[in-house]
mmCIF file of all heavy atoms in Angstrom:
data_model
loop_
_atom_site.group_PDB
_atom_site.id
_atom_site.type_symbol
_atom_site.label_atom_id
_atom_site.label_comp_id
_atom_site.label_asym_id
_atom_site.label_seq_id
_atom_site.Cartn_x
_atom_site.Cartn_y
_atom_site.Cartn_z
ATOM 1 N N GLU A 1699 -6.061 1.530 22.926
ATOM 2 C CA GLU A 1699 -5.681 1.831 24.307
ATOM 3 C C GLU A 1699 -4.304 1.254 24.612
ATOM 4 O O GLU A 1699 -4.045 0.075 24.381
ATOM 5 C CB GLU A 1699 -6.718 1.254 25.273
ATOM 6 C CG GLU A 1699 -8.085 1.917 25.160
ATOM 7 C CD GLU A 1699 -9.053 1.429 26.230
ATOM 8 O OE1 GLU A 1699 -8.617 0.643 27.103
ATOM 9 O OE2 GLU A 1699 -10.229 1.823 26.177
ATOM 10 N N VAL A 1700 -3.419 2.114 25.115
ATOM 11 C CA VAL A 1700 -2.087 1.679 25.534
ATOM 12 C C VAL A 1700 -1.860 2.151 26.967
ATOM 13 O O VAL A 1700 -2.491 3.104 27.430
ATOM 14 C CB VAL A 1700 -0.983 2.240 24.605
ATOM 15 C CG1 VAL A 1700 -1.123 1.680 23.196
ATOM 16 C CG2 VAL A 1700 -1.012 3.762 24.580
ATOM 17 N N ALA A 1701 -0.969 1.463 27.665
ATOM 18 C CA ALA A 1701 -0.713 1.805 29.071
ATOM 19 C C ALA A 1701 0.405 2.826 29.210
ATOM 20 O O ALA A 1701 0.417 3.625 30.151
ATOM 21 C CB ALA A 1701 -0.374 0.540 29.850
ATOM 22 N N HIS A 1702 1.376 2.789 28.296
ATOM 23 C CA HIS A 1702 2.546 3.653 28.409
ATOM 24 C C HIS A 1702 2.900 4.203 27.036
ATOM 25 O O HIS A 1702 2.633 3.561 26.020
ATOM 26 C CB HIS A 1702 3.750 2.883 28.973
ATOM 27 C CG HIS A 1702 3.413 2.029 30.160
ATOM 28 N ND1 HIS A 1702 3.210 2.552 31.414
ATOM 29 C CD2 HIS A 1702 3.240 0.682 30.264
ATOM 30 C CE1 HIS A 1702 2.927 1.572 32.242
ATOM 31 N NE2 HIS A 1702 2.936 0.429 31.578
ATOM 32 N N VAL A 1703 3.517 5.380 27.019
ATOM 33 C CA VAL A 1703 3.916 6.011 25.757
ATOM 34 C C VAL A 1703 5.345 6.517 25.865
ATOM 35 O O VAL A 1703 5.720 7.168 26.843
ATOM 36 C CB VAL A 1703 2.986 7.190 25.399
ATOM 37 C CG1 VAL A 1703 3.456 7.853 24.094
ATOM 38 C CG2 VAL A 1703 1.535 6.735 25.275
ATOM 39 N N MET A 1704 6.132 6.202 24.855
ATOM 40 C CA MET A 1704 7.469 6.781 24.705
ATOM 41 C C MET A 1704 7.484 7.532 23.377
ATOM 42 O O MET A 1704 7.154 6.950 22.333
ATOM 43 C CB MET A 1704 8.555 5.694 24.693
ATOM 44 C CG MET A 1704 8.725 4.957 26.007
ATOM 45 S SD MET A 1704 9.969 3.627 25.870
ATOM 46 C CE MET A 1704 11.436 4.578 25.499
ATOM 47 N N THR A 1705 7.834 8.803 23.407
ATOM 48 C CA THR A 1705 7.886 9.613 22.193
ATOM 49 C C THR A 1705 9.327 9.751 21.734
ATOM 50 O O THR A 1705 10.211 10.080 22.531
ATOM 51 C CB THR A 1705 7.282 11.003 22.436
ATOM 52 O OG1 THR A 1705 5.932 10.846 22.889
ATOM 53 C CG2 THR A 1705 7.285 11.830 21.168
ATOM 54 N N ALA A 1706 9.550 9.488 20.454
ATOM 55 C CA ALA A 1706 10.912 9.500 19.915
ATOM 56 C C ALA A 1706 10.947 10.364 18.667
ATOM 57 O O ALA A 1706 10.650 9.895 17.569
ATOM 58 C CB ALA A 1706 11.362 8.080 19.595
ATOM 59 N N PRO A 1707 11.289 11.637 18.790
ATOM 60 C CA PRO A 1707 11.341 12.514 17.623
ATOM 61 C C PRO A 1707 12.471 12.126 16.683
ATOM 62 O O PRO A 1707 13.331 11.301 17.010
ATOM 63 C CB PRO A 1707 11.586 13.897 18.244
ATOM 64 C CG PRO A 1707 12.234 13.620 19.558
ATOM 65 C CD PRO A 1707 11.659 12.325 20.039
ATOM 66 N N ASP A 1708 12.461 12.701 15.490
ATOM 67 C CA ASP A 1708 13.541 12.460 14.528
ATOM 68 C C ASP A 1708 14.885 12.745 15.191
ATOM 69 O O ASP A 1708 15.031 13.718 15.935
ATOM 70 C CB ASP A 1708 13.377 13.362 13.305
ATOM 71 C CG ASP A 1708 12.217 12.938 12.425
ATOM 72 O OD1 ASP A 1708 11.737 11.809 12.583
ATOM 73 O OD2 ASP A 1708 11.778 13.759 11.595
ATOM 74 N N GLY A 1709 15.863 11.903 14.907
ATOM 75 C CA GLY A 1709 17.185 12.084 15.483
ATOM 76 C C GLY A 1709 17.415 11.258 16.731
ATOM 77 O O GLY A 1709 18.536 11.200 17.244
ATOM 78 N N THR A 1710 16.356 10.610 17.246
ATOM 79 C CA THR A 1710 16.517 9.760 18.427
ATOM 80 C C THR A 1710 17.420 8.576 18.104
ATOM 81 O O THR A 1710 17.355 8.000 17.018
ATOM 82 C CB THR A 1710 15.141 9.247 18.904
ATOM 83 O OG1 THR A 1710 14.326 10.363 19.239
ATOM 84 C CG2 THR A 1710 15.279 8.337 20.108
ATOM 85 N N ASP A 1711 18.264 8.211 19.036
ATOM 86 C CA ASP A 1711 19.157 7.056 18.878
ATOM 87 C C ASP A 1711 18.325 5.777 19.003
ATOM 88 O O ASP A 1711 17.850 5.436 20.087
ATOM 89 C CB ASP A 1711 20.233 7.094 19.961
ATOM 90 C CG ASP A 1711 21.263 5.977 19.818
ATOM 91 O OD1 ASP A 1711 20.930 4.927 19.221
ATOM 92 O OD2 ASP A 1711 22.380 6.150 20.314
ATOM 93 N N ASP A 1712 18.122 5.069 17.884
ATOM 94 C CA ASP A 1712 17.275 3.869 17.894
ATOM 95 C C ASP A 1712 17.847 2.776 18.786
ATOM 96 O O ASP A 1712 17.095 2.033 19.422
ATOM 97 C CB ASP A 1712 17.103 3.323 16.474
ATOM 98 C CG ASP A 1712 16.106 4.140 15.660
ATOM 99 O OD1 ASP A 1712 15.298 4.865 16.270
ATOM 100 O OD2 ASP A 1712 16.142 4.048 14.410
ATOM 101 N N THR A 1713 19.172 2.660 18.831
ATOM 102 C CA THR A 1713 19.785 1.617 19.655
ATOM 103 C C THR A 1713 19.490 1.858 21.133
ATOM 104 O O THR A 1713 19.089 0.927 21.860
ATOM 105 C CB THR A 1713 21.310 1.576 19.431
ATOM 106 O OG1 THR A 1713 21.571 1.291 18.058
ATOM 107 C CG2 THR A 1713 21.952 0.509 20.305
ATOM 108 N N ALA A 1714 19.666 3.111 21.588
ATOM 109 C CA ALA A 1714 19.376 3.431 22.986
ATOM 110 C C ALA A 1714 17.889 3.270 23.282
ATOM 111 O O ALA A 1714 17.508 2.770 24.346
ATOM 112 C CB ALA A 1714 19.830 4.862 23.287
ATOM 113 N N LEU A 1715 17.053 3.673 22.338
ATOM 114 C CA LEU A 1715 15.605 3.550 22.524
ATOM 115 C C LEU A 1715 15.196 2.086 22.623
ATOM 116 O O LEU A 1715 14.399 1.702 23.485
ATOM 117 C CB LEU A 1715 14.884 4.223 21.359
ATOM 118 C CG LEU A 1715 13.355 4.256 21.418
ATOM 119 C CD1 LEU A 1715 12.880 5.072 22.613
ATOM 120 C CD2 LEU A 1715 12.798 4.850 20.116
ATOM 121 N N ALA A 1716 15.766 1.246 21.761
ATOM 122 C CA ALA A 1716 15.451 -0.183 21.786
ATOM 123 C C ALA A 1716 15.933 -0.818 23.086
ATOM 124 O O ALA A 1716 15.276 -1.728 23.623
ATOM 125 C CB ALA A 1716 16.080 -0.881 20.586
ATOM 126 N N THR A 1717 17.067 -0.361 23.603
ATOM 127 C CA THR A 1717 17.565 -0.878 24.885
ATOM 128 C C THR A 1717 16.579 -0.561 26.002
ATOM 129 O O THR A 1717 16.284 -1.410 26.859
ATOM 130 C CB THR A 1717 18.947 -0.279 25.206
ATOM 131 O OG1 THR A 1717 19.877 -0.662 24.190
ATOM 132 C CG2 THR A 1717 19.449 -0.768 26.558
ATOM 133 N N THR A 1718 16.050 0.658 26.001
ATOM 134 C CA THR A 1718 15.048 1.039 27.001
ATOM 135 C C THR A 1718 13.801 0.180 26.872
ATOM 136 O O THR A 1718 13.225 -0.278 27.872
ATOM 137 C CB THR A 1718 14.674 2.521 26.846
ATOM 138 O OG1 THR A 1718 15.845 3.323 27.006
ATOM 139 C CG2 THR A 1718 13.644 2.938 27.884
ATOM 140 N N VAL A 1719 13.366 -0.071 25.634
ATOM 141 C CA VAL A 1719 12.199 -0.926 25.415
ATOM 142 C C VAL A 1719 12.482 -2.343 25.907
ATOM 143 O O VAL A 1719 11.623 -2.989 26.526
ATOM 144 C CB VAL A 1719 11.798 -0.934 23.927
ATOM 145 C CG1 VAL A 1719 10.720 -1.989 23.654
ATOM 146 C CG2 VAL A 1719 11.299 0.444 23.501
ATOM 147 N N ALA A 1720 13.693 -2.832 25.678
ATOM 148 C CA ALA A 1720 14.057 -4.170 26.146
ATOM 149 C C ALA A 1720 13.972 -4.237 27.668
ATOM 150 O O ALA A 1720 13.519 -5.244 28.241
ATOM 151 C CB ALA A 1720 15.462 -4.526 25.672
ATOM 152 N N GLU A 1721 14.400 -3.165 28.331
ATOM 153 C CA GLU A 1721 14.326 -3.123 29.790
ATOM 154 C C GLU A 1721 12.873 -3.068 30.267
ATOM 155 O O GLU A 1721 12.486 -3.772 31.205
ATOM 156 C CB GLU A 1721 15.103 -1.907 30.302
ATOM 157 C CG GLU A 1721 16.608 -2.006 30.068
ATOM 158 C CD GLU A 1721 17.336 -0.694 30.339
ATOM 159 O OE1 GLU A 1721 16.653 0.342 30.553
ATOM 160 O OE2 GLU A 1721 18.587 -0.710 30.336
ATOM 161 N N ARG A 1722 12.073 -2.264 29.586
ATOM 162 C CA ARG A 1722 10.687 -2.086 30.028
ATOM 163 C C ARG A 1722 9.811 -3.296 29.717
ATOM 164 O O ARG A 1722 8.741 -3.448 30.292
ATOM 165 C CB ARG A 1722 10.102 -0.820 29.409
ATOM 166 C CG ARG A 1722 10.808 0.436 29.905
ATOM 167 C CD ARG A 1722 10.107 1.701 29.485
ATOM 168 N NE ARG A 1722 8.765 1.816 30.059
ATOM 169 C CZ ARG A 1722 8.071 2.942 30.075
ATOM 170 N NH1 ARG A 1722 8.593 4.053 29.564
ATOM 171 N NH2 ARG A 1722 6.863 2.976 30.599
#
Side-chain angles (χ1 to χ4, degrees):
E1699 294 186 5
V1700 295
H1702 315 284
V1703 178
M1704 293 177 63
T1705 302
D1708 288 344
T1710 300
D1711 184 335
D1712 283 341
T1713 300
L1715 183 63
T1717 298
T1718 301
V1719 171
E1721 293 169 351
R1722 295 189 63 165

